[in-house]
Amino acid sequence: MLSDPNPPRRPVQVGPCTLIHGDALQCLPVQANVVITDPVWPNCPPGLLAGADGLQHGLLYGALAAMDGARTWVVILGFDSDPRWLNRAVPSNKPFIRTQSLPYAVPGYRGRLLGGDEIAYAFGAIPPGRGLIPGRVTTEVQPKSKRKVNHPCPRSPVHMAALVRWWSVDTDTVLDPFMGSGTTGIACVRGARRFIGIERDATHFATAVDRIRREVSQGRLL
Ligand SMILES: C[S@@+](CC[C@H](N)C(=O)[O-])C[C@H]1O[C@@H](n2cnc3c(N)ncnc32)[C@H](O)[C@@H]1O
């Protein structure tokens, strides 16, 4: 029998976070109420990230389909990612709720396109007890270039904290199946949510464990 080249490893527990080094498609489903994720974007340059092989839609589709039992899915894409891609990448059984803009005080640009904000797309059901949900979240004031994280495309902790706050309640467990450097986990530590993160790349997984450990110990100090 052929052995699996990428078997899921034993999870690492850091505070409220369960961190799994493995392929999301092999590790899911897990017990979580909300999926908040920044997947491999359709316009990710080939070779920049694991999974940037032209089949990114299948990767996200597989992860969300496995998490059919979650109440809400929130998917982040770039301002220049074609939203029509979501038709192939998001199973159609959960209704679309709304978009949220994730703005920066210092705009970035790509070629002649000025902006750099990301967009969150929410599907499924609004968390119980939530009132009005805004169309834009807290503005990140730190320029992207100042974010010193060992990952090619880390998200803003300010934006991730807002998404965790709006789309989950304090009894929820949040899942990020494409955890990268662990920003969603950091947001969950700050927002007092349980978190499950999965990352396939060994270097990015180690970065996530390290960043989340520091966040947990900083919280204890304070
Ligand atoms: C856009 S990045 C996420 C960045 C993250 N939001 C952060 O703040 O660092 C997507 C991540 O998905 C990971 N990935 C790609 N394929 C995967 C798979 N099959 N299972 C788990 N992780 C995967 C990549 O290695 C990459 O780190």
Side-chain angles (χ1 to χ4, degrees), residues 88-149:
R88 290 196 294 163
V90 178
S92 56
N93 56 321
K94 286 207 197 298
F96 171 65
I97 305 173
R98 70 160 307 148
T99 60
Q100 274 184 319
S101 158
L102 314 179
Y104 293 85
V106 181
Y109 60 90
R110 211 151 297 150
R112 296 170 63 188
L113 303 181
L114 186 65
D117 302 352
E118 289 100 32
I119 313 286
Y121 298 83
F123 303 87
I126 294 174
R130 277 280 170 280
L132 291 174
I133 300 197
R136 65 202 316 256
V137 303
T138 325
T139 300
E140 170 62 88
V141 295
Q142 194 184 50
K144 283 188 187 177
S145 55
K146 288 260 163 59
R147 226 178 287 152
K148 302 271 181 263
V149 178

Side-chain angles (χ1 to χ4, degrees), residues 31-67:
Q31 282 290 333
N33 315 76
V34 185
V35 179
I36 300 179
T37 195
D38 166 35
V40 184
W41 293 351
N43 50 337
C44 180
L48 183 70
L49 295 173
D53 54 5
L55 299 174
Q56 292 92 310
H57 60 280
L59 185 58
L60 180 58
Y61 189 99
L64 294 178
M67 290 307 297

Side-chain angles (χ1 to χ4, degrees), residues 6 20-28 36-41 44 48-52 59-60 63 76 147 149-157 160 176-186 197-202 204-205 207-208 211:
N6 232 329
I20 303 169
H21 176 207
D23 181 338
L25 297 184
Q26 292 178 30
C27 302
L28 298 174
I36 300 179
T37 195
D38 166 35
V40 184
W41 293 351
C44 180
L48 183 70
L49 295 173
L59 185 58
L60 180 58
I76 300 163
R147 226 178 287 152
V149 178
N150 186 21
H151 190 280
C153 40
R155 293 279 70 81
S156 146
M160 297 314 297
D176 186 348
F178 306 108
M179 167 171 69
S181 63
T183 318
T184 317
I186 290 172
I198 306 172
E199 171 56 47
R200 179 178 193 157
D201 180 285
H204 300 332
F205 180 77
T207 301
R211 289 180 78 212

